[in-house]
Amino acid sequence: PDRLAVRLEEYRAVALWESAGDGATRLVSAFGEVFDANVGDVEDDRLPTLAGPEGSAPAMLALKARLDPVLARLDARIETLVLSDRGSWRVELDTGATVELGRGSDDEVIARTERFVGTLTQVTSRYRRALEFADLRHNEGYALRLKGISTGAAAAAAAAKTGKR
């Protein structure tokens, strides 16, 4: 009765958590626990951001851990990993590129990403342009947009907007 028991538990932040509902930024521990703390006190200013449905942080960390070495082959690092309410994945890379990974099991998402990474350098080296956007949601292929290259339809639409032909 005349004692006070104090138990401290240290959380190590490995990611930022963006909550869709309130727009508040919180932190994610290595165990996938979302917790409140002063984000300004975090020493690592390169923490990735996770954004997904409530309770999805552990699954997001698990997929991120599998995606990191695959995307590292592109000399890219995940800045933001998003999981939609419908279960579709998207990554924003530190290169400025966005990659729509689509839905499916973790193994399916990783397999699509592996195929993409395995062939992307052939395209980017041919055109000598950096990746701007990729959509891996297509069966047996992907669509992409390289920086500084537009399709005929996109160029025509842009010209029509500005009044130039």
Side-chain angles (χ1 to χ4, degrees):
D2 58 347
R3 293 182 192 197
L4 176 63
V6 177
R7 182 176 154 224
L8 295 176
E9 187 174 340
E10 181 180 6
Y11 285 97
R12 187 176 65 84
V14 295
L16 301 173
W17 179 261
E18 283 189 0
S19 181
D22 59 10
T25 300
R26 298 184 304 188
L27 297 168
V28 181
S29 76
F31 300 107
E33 299 166 308
V34 178
F35 64 98
D36 290 310
N38 184 357
V39 176
D41 289 342
V42 177
E43 294 175 8
D44 187 355
D45 60 349
R46 292 179 25 144
L47 289 178
T49 300
L50 305 178
E54 191 72 29
S56 64
M60 295 184 77
L61 275 180
L63 184 65
K64 182 189 172 302
R66 292 183 65 188
L67 284 170
D68 282 339
V70 176
L71 295 170
R73 296 187 345 232
L74 297 176
D75 293 324
R77 185 181 60 81
I78 295 174
E79 280 194 351
T80 304
L81 177 62
V82 179
L83 175 61
S84 75
D85 290 335
R86 295 186 56 190
S88 186
W89 296 93
R90 181 181 77 237
V91 293
E92 296 168 10
L93 304 174
D94 63 345
T95 61
T98 299
V99 182
E100 288 287 349
L101 302 172
R103 296 189 305 196
S105 70
D106 288 4
D107 289 340
E108 292 169 331
V109 171
I110 294 298
R112 279 196 301 272
T113 307
E114 288 274 359
R115 281 193 304 270
F116 166 69
V117 168
T119 59
L120 180 65
T121 53
Q122 296 169 6
V123 177
T124 56
S125 64
R126 177 177 181 186
Y127 293 100
R128 296 187 188 119
R129 302 289 180 154
L131 177 68
E132 184 175 331
F133 176 82
D135 187 346
L136 311 187
R137 297 175 294 179
H138 304 279
N139 290 333
E140 303 303 319
Y142 56 83
L144 58 83
R145 183 171 53 240
L146 301 178
K147 292 181 182 174
I149 295 180
S150 61
T151 63
K161 259 187 171 176
T162 61
K164 297 179 184 176
R165 294 226 178 227

